[in-house]
Amino acid sequence: MHNRRAAMAFILITLFLDVLGIGIVIPILPELIKEFIGGDASLAASYYGPLIAAYALMQFLFAPVLGALSDRFGRRPLILIALFGLGVDYLIQGFAPTIGWLFVGRILAGVMGASITTAHAYIADISTPENRSRNFGLVGAAFGIGFIIGPALGGVLGGLWIRLPFFVAATLALLNLFYGLLILPESLKPERRDSFSWAKANPVSSIVALRGFPLVAGLAASFVLVSLAYRGLESVWVLYTGFRFGWAELANGLTLGLVGVMAVVVQGFLIQPTIARLGEHRAILIGVAISAISLLLYGLAFQAWMILAVIVAAAPSQIAGPAIQGLVVGSVPSDQQGKVQGALTSLISLTSIGAPLLFTTILFSYFTSGMAPVTLPGAPFYLGSVLIFAALLLLVRLFRHRPSAEPMVTG
């Protein structure tokens, strides 16, 4: 029991550092690109979308590979190798002398960041039906804390020296590697392991294989639409707030930190009682509905305080993610968790390839340019709201055909 708690703590720290490393560069990456190209904001936007897409492409390709390898060789070695790779990657980005080297760093970050697949599979291994929603809620809290500290720290450190956040992220990843070497046990026993094949590791075939798990396959379509909307929001956020409200690194970092605070509050304290009361199906529907409304409100906001108000009001949408993970884990056998989690991570990565290009390079760039019939910087958020509303309709249909066996708790 003690080893299980220590392992869970390590995995949460690892996921926190993954998000911290992503969040810490959000406020500075557009500014670093500007430095490479002489300060041209429009040209920087044209590089920024492909740079984000390169990271996502690598996650799409490698998430099922790492997931399948972890089903065969265990979770521990894959997690530790990924931590080492992330440490090296941040050093490459910190020392990058050109945009080309920055692309190399982001590509390696995508490969190593695909280890989130293995971390999710590890949590599935050590979770029970009674605590799986709580455990994945803690994952959400770790992500939230990462988004509290990451962007805020990136904004502060980037104000001192724009490359400093990369070196801080590298130090944290390598320190966690040494910690993991000492305390992380293996979660997948040899007798529960699956064979490895490149067919299973192929991102396309791994996604197609989701058809073997009807509930997961049904969730996948909605998963893609929600993910596409949120990856678009993430890619356009700094550009949108800078254009509409004049926010710089620090303001964006602190605001994204507020997003993390709300995620910690909801996922760290409210997930288990909320899902126990509503059931996983209702929790998912309510969370997705709030998400659709919140993206619409982001796009309509015309004063900075409105953004802060929406962040707070939209916090209950955070209940959907752990509830979805709970459904997935409960419907997949232990020796298939890595493969399924890899397929889902690939789906997220697939949307992350297209989202920066669609939401940033096409929609935001066009509707803030002189070519647009009307200036409409909120256009990416309106599209995101439509996509999430479509996902909500698909979920309603899915749950109507697959009603929950969980009783509604009253009183």
Side-chain angles (χ1 to χ4, degrees):
M1 182 63 71
H2 174 74
N3 287 342
R4 181 171 290 189
R5 285 198 298 266
M8 184 68 187
F10 173 81
I11 295 297
L12 292 175
I13 291 171
T14 299
L15 291 171
F16 159 74
L17 290 176
D18 282 348
V19 178
L20 179 73
I22 296 170
I24 207 171
V25 302
I26 287 175
I28 64 166
L29 201 54
E31 298 303 319
L32 185 58
I33 294 172
K34 287 181 187 178
E35 280 195 3
F36 284 128
I37 59 175
D40 188 325
S42 298
L43 187 57
S46 68
Y47 279 103
Y48 185 64
L51 193 66
I52 301 299
Y55 176 94
L57 176 61
M58 292 302 104
Q59 276 206 328
F60 169 70
L61 294 175
F62 283 90
V65 175
L66 296 184
L69 286 171
S70 78
D71 284 339
R72 172 63 183 88
F73 297 106
R75 319 298 187 198
R76 184 178 189 270
L78 273 297
I79 291 172
L80 296 178
I81 290 169
L83 281 170
F84 175 76
L86 282 174
V88 172
D89 160 64
Y90 288 127
L91 291 176
I92 291 174
Q93 293 182 76
F95 287 113
T98 64
I99 280 190
W101 275 104
L102 199 58
F103 269 95
V104 170
R106 297 309 292 170
I107 287 170
L108 180 58
V111 175
M112 296 298 108
S115 63
I116 191 174
T117 295
T118 310
H120 279 159
Y122 193 109
I123 293 172
D125 291 341
I126 64 174
S127 296
T128 65
E130 292 75 24
N131 66 16
R132 70 192 185 202
S133 291
R134 184 201 66 188
N135 284 348
F136 281 106
L138 291 173
V139 170
F143 272 69
I145 295 171
F147 265 109
I148 293 170
I149 299 175
L153 186 61
V156 172
L157 295 178
L160 299 175
W161 179 35
I162 198 166
R163 294 174 182 265
L164 183 57
F166 292 112
F167 297 112
V168 171
T171 301
L172 293 173
L174 293 175
L175 286 175
N176 198 41
L177 167 63
F178 292 124
Y179 176 47
L181 287 170
L182 295 175
I183 67 97
L184 184 67
E186 179 55 60
S187 65
L188 189 64
K189 296 178 181 179
E191 63 269 19
R192 294 168 56 198
R193 296 181 187 179
D194 193 20
S195 61
F196 175 84
S197 71
W198 286 108
K200 295 177 184 176
N202 182 299
V204 176
S205 63
S206 71
I207 292 171
V208 172
L210 290 177
R211 291 182 301 180
F213 307 96
L215 179 60
V216 179
L219 289 169
S222 298
F223 198 63
V224 166
L225 293 174
V226 173
S227 179
L228 182 62
Y230 272 98
R231 299 297 81 76
L233 180 151
E234 292 166 4
S235 66
V236 80
W237 182 271
V238 172
L239 297 170
Y240 173 74
T241 57
F243 180 88
R244 195 149 200 176
F245 308 115
W247 289 359
E249 295 97 329
L250 183 58
N252 274 308
L254 294 176
T255 304
L256 292 171
L258 176 61
V259 175
V261 169
M262 301 313 301
V264 169
V265 170
V266 173
Q267 299 203 26
F269 301 100
L270 301 181
I271 287 293
Q272 192 163 8
T274 300
I275 293 179
R277 182 174 183 82
L278 298 177
E280 288 171 330
H281 287 192
R282 292 183 181 88
I284 292 168
L285 294 177
I286 290 171
V288 172
I290 294 172
S291 293
I293 296 169
S294 66
L295 261 70
L296 175 62
L297 294 177
Y298 282 134
L300 293 173
F302 56 88
Q303 293 186 13
W305 67 264
M306 296 178 178
I307 294 291
L308 304 181
V310 175
I311 289 173
V312 174
S317 67
Q318 301 281 344
I319 64 177
I324 290 173
Q325 284 288 357
L327 279 181
V328 170
V329 169
S331 61
V332 176
S334 60
D335 64 347
Q336 302 292 306
Q337 288 288 345
K339 179 176 70 175
V340 170
Q341 294 291 345
L344 293 176
T345 302
S346 284
L347 282 174
I348 294 176
S349 302
L350 190 60
T351 63
S352 298
I353 297 169
L357 303 176
L358 174 60
F359 284 75
T360 303
T361 307
I362 297 176
L363 277 178
F364 182 80
S365 179
Y366 174 74
F367 280 104
T368 56
S369 71
M371 296 184 296
V374 59
T375 300
L376 196 65
F381 296 94
Y382 303 147
L383 174 60
S385 180
V386 170
L387 291 173
I388 296 179
F389 184 73
L392 178 63
L393 296 179
L394 290 176
L395 287 168
V396 169
R397 183 174 180 272
L398 172 66
F399 294 158
R400 185 178 296 142
H401 287 84
R402 293 182 173 273
S404 175
E406 301 167 317
M408 178 72 170
V409 179
T410 60

